Amino acid sequence: MDKFTYYDTVADLIPGILSVWAISVLGPFEEINYSMFLTENQIIDAVLFISICFTIGHIIKFLSKYFIEPLLKLLFWKGKFFSEIYLINSLEYCPEIELKNILSFTKNKFKFSTEDLNILFDEKAFSDKEKQKKATQLSQIIFRKLDAQSKNSSIAIKAHTQNVFYGLFRNLSTLFLIIFIMNLIMVCFRFIQQTILLKMNLLISGIIMVIFLIRAKQRGESYVKGIFWSISEK
């Protein structure tokens, strides 16, 4: 299975399949009749089911870029992507010894000047807006170059696997955020009968959303660290 198919299967299809179960079990609706979509032909029904789940998964992925990614950046990464801040020394995400190794490799491989790279060691690289812009852009550029090189040379496979699971957990966070919001609306505006089960589903969907959000954060950081570490050691 190639990388594109692998990513689609894990990050798109699985959340789509899970949504069919989760909305009916943890959502605010008492019963969802899925039989209306069946044709009684097993092959057609299977293809239809996979197509619907892929479509739902793509919608969830689209929404995750506008809801979960900004939330991840705001809560965990100072409003930036982790790859934009990882190489800024004053933030202490990357050990200084490792940072020097990465920048030495980068300088030799991609011909960055020492003057350009020194911004990452500036104590005001994040507190000063102008320096922050330069430092975050430089960190991101270095990451993208290393990431592209690792894809072309088939190294850092473990890191790219972390990115697949980052996408999966990010999309699952979106799914349970949607279910949480649906339950919250039903509880707050009393569109349906208020039951203990509805309130429990509200709590459970919120907890699951937070768990997947934290897992997405962990996998996203592992992806970035894996790219930098594996390439810098070559």
Side-chain angles (χ1 to χ4, degrees):
M1 183 177 287
D2 59 31
K3 292 180 180 179
F4 176 81
T5 305
Y6 177 62
Y7 180 87
D8 278 7
T9 301
V10 173
D12 295 344
L13 183 58
I14 291 178
I17 293 174
L18 189 58
S19 69
V20 175
W21 169 84
I23 291 175
S24 60
V25 174
L26 295 177
F29 311 108
E30 292 185 1
E31 183 178 351
I32 300 177
N33 184 14
Y34 291 115
S35 62
M36 68 177 69
F37 299 106
L38 301 178
T39 65
E40 298 185 358
N41 183 303
Q42 291 185 350
I43 296 177
I44 294 177
D45 288 344
V47 172
L48 187 62
F49 174 75
I50 293 174
S51 299
I52 291 173
C53 290
F54 254 122
T55 301
I56 295 173
H58 278 292
I59 293 172
I60 292 172
K61 181 170 69 174
F62 173 79
L63 293 174
S64 72
K65 292 183 179 295
Y66 295 95
F67 292 97
I68 294 301
E69 275 195 350
L71 190 59
L72 283 167
K73 292 192 286 186
L74 180 65
L75 292 177
F76 303 118
W77 302 325
K78 303 182 183 299
K80 306 290 184 180
F81 284 111
F82 189 61
S83 56
E84 294 179 302
I85 60 175
Y86 182 69
L87 296 183
I88 298 178
N89 188 52
S90 61
L91 298 181
E92 299 183 344
Y93 287 110
C94 180
E96 187 168 346
I97 295 176
E98 185 65 32
L99 176 59
K100 289 179 179 179
N101 290 336
I102 292 171
L103 296 185
S104 176
F105 176 90
T106 301
K107 180 180 177 181
N108 295 329
K109 180 68 177 179
F110 302 116
K111 309 305 179 184
F112 282 95
S113 68
T114 302
E115 183 180 355
D116 288 335
L117 296 176
N118 281 343
I119 187 67
L120 297 171
F121 290 99
D122 194 310
E123 289 297 321
K124 295 183 178 180
F126 200 79
S127 59
D128 182 276
K129 286 187 177 181
E130 184 176 342
K131 291 181 178 179
Q132 178 189 124
K133 183 178 180 180
K134 292 180 180 179
T136 53
Q137 285 180 345
L138 180 59
S139 181
Q140 182 74 338
I141 288 171
I142 293 172
F143 172 76
R144 287 179 176 175
K145 285 181 176 292
L146 295 177
D147 184 49
Q149 177 179 287
S150 69
K151 289 177 181 177
N152 292 336
S153 58
S154 299
I155 57 179
I157 295 176
K158 290 183 178 179
H160 290 293
T161 300
Q162 296 298 321
N163 188 39
V164 172
F165 283 102
Y166 164 72
L168 172 63
F169 290 129
R170 182 195 64 192
N171 294 348
L172 290 175
S173 299
T174 304
L175 168 61
F176 285 96
L177 175 62
I178 293 170
I179 295 174
F180 175 80
I181 291 173
M182 289 193 301
N183 286 327
L184 184 63
I185 290 173
M186 295 302 177
V187 169
C188 292
F189 295 97
R190 299 179 178 273
F191 289 132
I192 60 176
Q193 182 181 356
Q194 304 296 294
T195 63
I196 295 177
L197 179 61
L198 175 61
K199 294 176 182 178
M200 284 296 295
N201 286 345
L202 173 65
L203 178 62
I204 292 171
S205 58
I207 291 173
I208 294 175
M209 186 271 291
V210 171
I211 291 172
F212 282 131
L213 189 71
I214 293 172
R215 293 297 289 157
K217 178 252 186 188
Q218 294 171 340
R219 294 302 181 117
E221 291 181 0
S222 295
Y223 167 49
V224 172
K225 291 177 181 179
I227 291 296
F228 282 120
W229 291 350
S230 61
I231 305 299
S232 66
E233 291 173 358
K234 285 185 67 64

